[in-house]
Amino acid sequence: MTVSPTTADRAAARPRARAWIPLALRALLLGTLLTFLVAPSIFEPILKPLVQDNAPAIYNQGSLFTLTLLHLRIVAIATTAAILVAVTLAILVTRPFGAEFLALSRSLVNVGQTFPPVAVLALSVPALGFGEKPTLVALFLYGLLPIFENTLTALTTLPPAVMEAARGAGMTDRQRLFRVELPLAAPVILAGIRLSITVSLATATIGSTVAARTLGEVIIAGLQSNNLAFILQGGLIVGALAVLIYDGLSALEARLRRRAGL
């Protein structure tokens, strides 16, 4: 005897089916990106109509795969430094002994937002020279604010009942910080890191104006030669990286929220 699915069964199956759609799109985007970086010549027929006669449709002044890794490396170094400084400052100003440094800390992390990255690059080159270092400074300063503000907000809005329970259990200040406060604050802190990384991925392209090895090289080469295909390649790779990393960190943030019971 065949039992037909009930309306409730069909209704429950629809959300599960819909959940596979974004996952499939992410996998498709990642697969397309990796294929393009490893074997870009496959996409030459698609890009050829965008260039003038005899102009190369695929970036030919370096390896796109290598430039992508170098681009990610710069963003990773700058973001790691920004996380260490911003989270440490936020922890400091939420302790009783450091509360008086809140205004100073806010002024420090706002420096990157006060000066545009291009201005930071221009000011850094005379002191640090051309190359990767000025770009790291610009990305570091630009990434501080969202991480600091999110960490500060997370640490100052923790459930009072949980904090009282931790004190009642005899935990020291250090134990409360690492066992209670930071685990509960992790999803909000990660949201700030996610925003910082997304902004840095796009901003890192301007580092190529001071000889840093980033995907900005592809865009600049396209502008100099009036090659729309080059510009499109650089922009789309950066955009795809931003979408994939943003989406991955969003999934991790949701998982941390579930684990923390939020």
Side-chain angles (χ1 to χ4, degrees):
M1 178 179 178
T2 303
V3 180
S4 60
T6 64
T7 302
D9 292 334
R10 288 194 294 268
R14 280 196 291 269
R16 290 195 294 269
R18 286 197 295 267
W20 281 100
I21 296 175
L23 183 60
L25 291 175
R26 294 179 198 124
L28 177 62
L29 178 60
L30 178 59
T32 304
L33 176 61
L34 291 176
T35 302
F36 182 76
L37 293 177
V38 174
S41 58
I42 296 175
F43 297 84
E44 186 171 3
I46 300 174
L47 297 170
K48 195 66 177 176
L50 301 176
V51 300
Q52 301 173 355
D53 294 338
N54 301 321
I58 302 297
Y59 182 69
N60 58 356
Q61 300 174 26
S63 168
L64 287 172
F65 185 74
T66 300
L67 285 176
T68 301
L69 292 180
L70 292 172
H71 190 102
L72 291 173
R73 176 177 173 271
I74 289 178
V75 171
I77 293 173
T79 303
T80 300
I83 292 171
L84 292 174
V85 172
V87 172
T88 301
L89 281 176
I91 292 173
L92 172 66
V93 299
T94 53
R95 307 303 101 177
F97 61 84
E100 60 186 279
F101 297 105
L102 176 58
L104 176 60
S105 297
R106 274 216 165 99
S107 298
L108 290 174
V109 300
N110 270 295
V111 169
Q113 306 295 322
T114 304
F115 295 97
V118 175
V120 176
L121 287 176
L123 294 172
S124 300
V125 166
L128 302 174
F130 287 91
E132 188 178 85
K133 292 180 181 178
T135 306
L136 288 172
V137 171
L139 295 182
F140 165 74
L141 293 176
Y142 215 57
L144 284 172
L145 183 61
I147 301 173
F148 174 81
E149 289 294 344
N150 274 45
T151 305
L152 183 65
T153 299
L155 291 176
T156 54
T157 57
L158 293 172
V162 175
M163 299 307 299
E164 285 299 325
R167 293 189 186 95
M171 288 187 177
T172 64
D173 291 342
R174 183 184 180 87
Q175 288 173 329
R176 286 200 303 272
L177 174 64
F178 288 101
R179 296 184 182 181
V180 180
E181 294 182 56
L182 288 179
L184 288 176
V188 181
I189 296 174
L190 185 60
I193 295 171
R194 171 164 48 88
L195 177 59
S196 179
I197 290 176
T198 305
V199 173
S200 293
L201 280 168
T203 307
T205 56
I206 66 172
S208 293
T209 60
V210 293
R213 300 297 308 281
T214 73
L215 288 166
E217 286 187 17
V218 185
I219 298 173
I220 292 173
L223 292 172
Q224 291 175 339
S225 60
N226 194 28
N227 189 319
L228 181 58
F230 283 7
I231 299 172
L232 193 62
Q233 286 165 60
L236 287 179
I237 292 173
V238 173
L241 290 173
V243 169
L244 290 169
I245 293 175
Y246 185 95
D247 193 63
L249 291 177
S250 295
L252 179 58
E253 180 187 339
R255 183 174 181 179
L256 290 176
R257 286 184 180 277
R258 289 193 298 270
R259 180 176 295 180
L262 300 177

